[in-house]
Amino acid sequence: MPDERKKDRFALRPDAAGWTVVEIWTGKPALAGGVAQTTLSEDDAQHMLKLLNSQARRGDSSMRK
């Protein structure tokens, strides 16, 4: 596993209507701007995953709520 992935806080899981970005530690859907990142298209989910993990690596918690 690349060192960068060891620091990931978020992951993707399929859901009934698409994809959900989840917080690895809690298993709950990630929030961006107070909106749960659920039922996303695969492209949108991948985009949010990269954005949220990038923000988390920099210590930016603004995407949480």
Side-chain angles (χ1 to χ4, degrees), residues 1-2 12 16 18-20 22 26-27 29-30 35-37 39 41 44 50-54 56 58-59:
M1 175 181 297
L12 293 182
W19 293 88
T20 295
V22 295
T26 65
V35 177
Q37 299 302 295
T39 65
S41 70
D44 287 345
K50 290 176 187 175
L51 177 65
L52 290 168
N53 277 326
S54 175
R58 287 195 294 263

Side-chain angles (χ1 to χ4, degrees), residues 7-55:
K7 298 178 185 174
D8 283 353
R9 180 175 176 171
F10 301 95
L12 293 182
R13 287 196 186 144
D15 61 36
W19 293 88
T20 295
V21 182
V22 295
E23 186 174 18
I24 292 170
W25 302 325
T26 65
K28 294 181 180 180
L31 298 177
V35 177
Q37 299 302 295
T38 61
T39 65
L40 302 172
S41 70
E42 187 172 3
D43 287 342
D44 287 345
Q46 288 287 347
H47 175 77
M48 286 305 300
L49 177 68
K50 290 176 187 175
L51 177 65
L52 290 168
N53 277 326
S54 175
Q55 295 288 355

